[in-house]
Amino acid sequence: MSYKLFIPGPIAVSAKTMKALTSAPIGHRSPDFVALYQSVQPGLQALFETKDPVFLSTSSAWGIMEGALRNVCTKKVLNCMNGAFSDKWHDVANRNGIDATPLKFDWGQPVDPEAVRAELATGQYDAITLIHNETSCGCMSDLPALMAVIREFPEVISLVDTVSSFSAVAIPKDELGIDIMITGSQKALALPPGLSLCSVSERALEKAKTVPNRGYYFDLIEFLKNHEKGMTPSTPNIPHIYALRSKLEDINAEGVANRHARHLRLNNLVRDTIKAQGFELFPAEENGSRSLNCFANTRNLDIGALNKVLKAEHAMVIDGGYGKIKGKTFRISNMGDETDETIIEMLDAVVAVMAKTPVISG
Ligand SMILES: *Cc1c(COP(=O)(O)O)cnc(C)c1O
């Protein structure tokens, strides 16, 4: 049985994208591949708002999130943590034997720029990790304010995860001075999982050149050398790149500003409709994500039961909460190709099912 995903990734993939995915593979060292690779660069650079190259990695986002850290950190990394993904980035640093300090905030609280300044001012760090949009708790940190602080410390390379906000809201990489900006395919880009994208500044690449033991698969210098020839270091998932090209056409046809406006409008529509059902946003309103909403389950509804009915009767699913806030929260995505029509259809279904969903007993 097929059903539609309103979880914050992976999300629904359009028929046009699915068709592009079935393009026959071509040789990854052929002129046809070079043409394909180079054809997506201008659209990607426009979306990243950067003059730097955009590397394509055949991996999920974690591949690059782990690899990038190994490429640029030789002293110590500051891991800003306010949800499941940012907590895990600290764990990943530890597993790689990288000296790492956790800078912890409660889940749902944004990362505080002043706390970042105080820590970076100790002078111990040469890298910082930051998640723009903490998907686990629907919290979006103030990236311009954070980057303004980080830019005060030129020795610190910034690694910014924009996995669930990229292309949903404007993130001007060069203007903000982000060194390594990372995203994945299955969130706001509405591609299937399995491709990640990252744009790397010149100074981050210069730093990487001085770092031993960068590994091979995620070596940014290998990516750079191949990029200069219009290629990737190893055989990429070529069908995904066709799908990416198709998606960039869609984004171009809609217009990037229109795309951002659509996401904001749909995000508000979900927020207002579910709040009218007696729920509250999990983070403070002003910190709420614009690509999804994470609600506190203030009515204590059995979201697992709700999802079963939603799936059986309406062929849709929402998300029942992530990690330690599973059941206490639920999340609804407005990423990708959703329209006023599809979001209203989903909300009508969710509200109807809520009316007959039991509360959790005990
Ligand atoms: C989904 C997500 C990731 C992990 O992506 P994978 O594709 O599973 O590697 C990382 N960070 C954020 C903020 C995410 O939402």
Coordinates of all heavy atoms in Angstrom, one line a residue, residues 8-10 59-65 84-86 88-89 131-136 161-165 182-187 193-196 292 322 331 335, ligand 1:
P8 N 9.2 14.7 8.7 CA 10.2 15.6 8.2 C 11.4 14.9 7.6 O 12.6 15.0 8.1 CB 10.6 16.4 9.5 CG 10.0 15.6 10.6 CD 9.1 14.6 10.1
G9 N 11.2 14.1 6.7 CA 12.2 13.4 5.9 C 12.3 11.9 6.2 O 12.4 11.6 7.4
P10 N 12.4 11.1 5.2 CA 12.2 11.4 3.8 C 10.8 11.9 3.5 O 9.9 11.6 4.3 CB 12.5 10.1 3.0 CG 12.6 9.1 4.0 CD 12.7 9.6 5.3
S59 N 26.1 9.5 -0.5 CA 26.0 9.1 0.9 C 24.8 9.9 1.5 O 24.4 10.8 0.9 CB 27.3 9.5 1.7 OG 27.4 10.9 1.8
S60 N 24.4 9.5 2.7 CA 23.4 10.4 3.3 C 24.2 11.6 3.9 O 25.5 11.6 3.9 CB 22.6 9.6 4.4 OG 23.3 9.5 5.6
A61 N 23.6 12.5 4.5 CA 24.2 13.7 5.0 C 25.3 13.4 6.0 O 26.3 14.0 6.1 CB 23.2 14.7 5.6
W62 N 25.1 12.4 6.8 CA 26.0 12.0 7.9 C 27.4 11.7 7.3 O 28.4 11.9 8.0 CB 25.5 10.9 8.8 CG 24.7 11.4 9.9 CD1 23.3 11.1 10.1 CD2 25.1 12.2 10.9 NE1 22.9 11.7 11.2 CE2 23.9 12.4 11.7 CE3 26.3 12.8 11.3 CZ2 23.9 13.2 12.9 CZ3 26.3 13.6 12.5 CH2 25.1 13.8 13.2
G63 N 27.5 11.2 6.1 CA 28.8 10.9 5.5 C 29.6 12.2 5.5 O 30.8 12.2 6.0
I64 N 29.1 13.2 5.0 CA 29.8 14.5 4.9 C 29.9 15.2 6.2 O 30.9 15.8 6.5 CB 29.1 15.4 3.9 CG1 29.2 14.9 2.4 CG2 29.5 16.9 4.0 CD1 30.6 15.3 1.8
M65 N 28.9 15.0 7.1 CA 29.0 15.6 8.4 C 30.1 15.1 9.2 O 30.8 15.8 9.9 CB 27.6 15.4 9.2 CG 26.5 16.3 8.6 SD 24.9 15.7 9.2 CE 24.9 16.3 10.9
A84 N 18.4 16.1 18.7 CA 19.0 14.8 18.5 C 20.2 14.8 17.5 O 21.2 14.2 17.7 CB 17.9 13.9 18.0
F85 N 20.0 15.6 16.4 CA 21.1 15.6 15.3 C 22.3 16.3 15.8 O 23.4 15.8 15.6 CB 20.5 16.2 14.0 CG 19.5 15.3 13.4 CD1 18.1 15.6 13.5 CD2 19.8 14.1 12.7 CE1 17.1 14.8 13.0 CE2 18.8 13.3 12.2 CZ 17.5 13.7 12.3
S86 N 22.2 17.4 16.5 CA 23.3 18.1 17.0 C 24.0 17.4 18.1 O 25.2 17.4 18.3 CB 23.0 19.6 17.4 OG 21.8 19.6 18.1
K88 N 24.1 14.2 18.3 CA 24.8 13.1 17.6 C 26.1 13.5 16.9 O 27.1 12.8 16.9 CB 23.9 12.4 16.6 CG 24.5 11.2 15.9 CD 23.4 10.4 15.2 CE 24.1 9.3 14.3 NZ 23.0 8.6 13.5
W89 N 26.1 14.8 16.5 CA 27.4 15.3 15.8 C 28.5 15.3 16.9 O 29.7 15.1 16.5 CB 27.1 16.7 15.2 CG 27.9 16.9 13.9 CD1 28.9 16.2 13.4 CD2 27.7 18.0 13.0 NE1 29.3 16.7 12.2 CE2 28.6 17.8 12.0 CE3 26.8 19.1 13.0 CZ2 28.6 18.7 10.9 CZ3 26.9 20.0 12.0 CH2 27.8 19.8 10.9
I131 N 23.8 23.1 13.9 CA 22.6 22.7 13.0 C 21.6 23.9 12.9 O 21.2 24.4 13.9 CB 22.0 21.4 13.6 CG1 23.0 20.3 13.5 CG2 20.7 21.1 13.0 CD1 22.5 18.9 13.6
H132 N 21.4 24.3 11.7 CA 20.5 25.4 11.5 C 19.1 25.1 12.0 O 18.5 25.9 12.7 CB 20.5 25.9 10.0 CG 19.6 26.9 9.7 ND1 18.9 27.0 8.6 CD2 19.2 28.1 10.4 CE1 18.1 28.1 8.6 NE2 18.3 28.7 9.7
N133 N 18.6 24.0 11.5 CA 17.2 23.6 11.7 C 17.2 22.3 12.4 O 17.4 21.2 11.8 CB 16.5 23.6 10.4 CG 15.0 23.5 10.6 OD1 14.3 24.2 11.3 ND2 14.4 22.5 9.9
E134 N 17.0 22.3 13.8 CA 17.1 21.0 14.5 C 15.7 20.3 14.2 O 14.7 20.5 14.9 CB 17.3 21.2 16.0 CG 18.5 20.6 16.6 CD 18.7 19.1 16.3 OE1 17.8 18.4 15.9 OE2 19.8 18.6 16.6
T135 N 15.8 19.4 13.3 CA 14.6 18.7 12.8 C 13.9 17.9 13.9 O 12.7 17.8 14.0 CB 15.0 17.7 11.7 OG1 16.0 18.3 10.9 CG2 13.8 17.3 10.8
S136 N 14.7 17.4 14.9 CA 14.1 16.5 15.9 C 13.1 17.3 16.8 O 12.2 16.7 17.3 CB 15.3 16.0 16.8 OG 16.0 17.0 17.4
D161 N 25.1 22.5 9.3 CA 24.1 21.5 8.8 C 22.8 22.3 8.4 O 22.2 22.9 9.3 CB 23.9 20.4 9.9 CG 22.6 19.6 9.7 OD1 21.6 20.1 9.2 OD2 22.7 18.4 10.1
T162 N 22.5 22.2 7.1 CA 21.2 22.9 6.7 C 20.3 21.8 6.1 O 19.6 22.0 5.2 CB 21.5 24.0 5.7 OG1 22.1 23.4 4.5 CG2 22.4 25.1 6.2
V163 N 20.5 20.6 6.6 CA 19.8 19.4 6.0 C 18.3 19.6 5.8 O 17.8 19.3 4.7 CB 20.1 18.1 6.8 CG1 19.4 16.9 6.2 CG2 21.6 17.8 6.7
S164 N 17.7 20.1 6.8 CA 16.2 20.2 6.7 C 15.7 21.7 6.5 O 14.5 21.9 6.5 CB 15.5 19.6 7.9 OG 15.9 20.3 9.1
S165 N 16.6 22.6 6.2 CA 16.2 24.0 5.9 C 16.6 24.4 4.5 O 16.0 25.4 4.0 CB 16.7 24.9 7.0 OG 18.1 24.8 7.1
I182 N 26.2 22.0 4.5 CA 25.9 20.6 4.2 C 24.4 20.4 4.1 O 23.7 20.9 5.0 CB 26.5 19.6 5.2 CG1 28.0 19.8 5.4 CG2 26.1 18.2 4.9 CD1 28.6 19.2 6.7
T183 N 23.9 19.7 3.1 CA 22.5 19.3 3.0 C 22.4 17.9 2.5 O 23.3 17.3 2.0 CB 21.7 20.4 2.3 OG1 20.3 20.1 2.6 CG2 21.9 20.4 0.8
G184 N 21.1 17.4 2.6 CA 20.8 16.1 2.1 C 19.7 16.2 1.1 O 19.1 17.2 0.8
S185 N 19.5 15.1 0.4 CA 18.5 15.1 -0.7 C 17.1 14.9 -0.3 O 16.1 15.3 -0.9 CB 18.9 14.0 -1.7 OG 19.0 12.7 -1.1
Q186 N 16.8 14.1 0.8 CA 15.5 13.6 1.1 C 14.6 14.6 2.0 O 13.6 14.2 2.4 CB 15.6 12.3 1.8 CG 15.9 12.2 3.2 CD 17.4 12.3 3.5 OE1 18.2 12.7 2.7 NE2 17.8 11.8 4.7
K187 N 15.2 15.7 2.3 CA 14.4 16.7 3.1 C 13.8 17.7 2.2 O 13.0 17.3 1.3 CB 15.3 17.3 4.2 CG 16.0 16.2 5.1 CD 15.1 15.7 6.2 CE 15.7 14.5 6.9 NZ 16.7 14.8 8.0
P193 N 16.3 9.6 -0.6 CA 17.5 9.6 0.2 C 18.7 9.0 -0.6 O 18.5 8.2 -1.5 CB 17.2 8.8 1.5 CG 16.0 8.0 1.2 CD 15.3 8.7 0.0
G194 N 19.9 9.4 -0.2 CA 21.1 8.8 -0.8 C 22.1 9.7 -1.4 O 23.1 9.3 -2.0
L195 N 21.8 11.0 -1.4 CA 22.7 12.0 -2.0 C 22.9 13.1 -1.0 O 21.9 13.5 -0.3 CB 22.1 12.6 -3.3 CG 23.0 13.6 -4.0 CD1 24.2 13.0 -4.7 CD2 22.2 14.3 -5.1
S196 N 24.1 13.6 -0.8 CA 24.3 14.8 0.0 C 25.1 15.8 -0.8 O 25.9 15.4 -1.7 CB 24.9 14.5 1.4 OG 26.2 13.9 1.3
L292 N 9.1 22.5 9.0 CA 8.2 21.6 9.7 C 7.7 22.3 10.9 O 8.2 23.4 11.3 CB 9.0 20.3 10.1 CG 10.0 20.5 11.2 CD1 9.9 19.4 12.2 CD2 11.4 20.6 10.7
Y322 N 10.5 12.4 18.0 CA 11.8 11.8 17.8 C 12.6 11.6 19.1 O 12.6 12.4 20.0 CB 12.6 12.8 16.9 CG 13.9 12.2 16.3 CD1 13.9 11.8 15.0 CD2 15.0 12.0 17.1 CE1 15.1 11.2 14.4 CE2 16.2 11.5 16.5 CZ 16.2 11.1 15.2 OH 17.4 10.6 14.6
R331 N 5.3 15.8 14.8 CA 5.9 16.7 13.8 C 5.2 16.5 12.5 O 4.8 15.4 12.1 CB 7.4 16.4 13.6 CG 8.2 16.6 14.9 CD 9.7 16.3 14.7 NE 9.9 14.9 14.2 CZ 11.0 14.4 13.7 NH1 12.0 15.2 13.6 NH2 11.1 13.2 13.3
M335 N 7.8 20.5 3.8 CA 8.9 20.6 2.9 C 8.5 20.2 1.5 O 7.4 19.7 1.3 CB 10.0 19.7 3.4 CG 10.6 20.0 4.7 SD 11.8 18.7 5.2 CE 11.9 19.0 6.9
Ligands
LIG1 C1 17.8 14.2 8.5 C2 18.9 15.0 9.2 C3 20.2 14.6 9.2 C4 20.7 13.2 8.8 O1 20.5 13.0 7.5 P1 20.9 11.5 6.9 O2 20.4 11.7 5.6 O3 20.1 10.5 7.7 O4 22.3 11.3 7.1 C5 21.1 15.4 9.8 N1 20.8 16.6 10.2 C6 19.5 17.1 10.2 C7 19.2 18.4 10.8 C8 18.5 16.2 9.7 O5 17.3 16.7 9.7

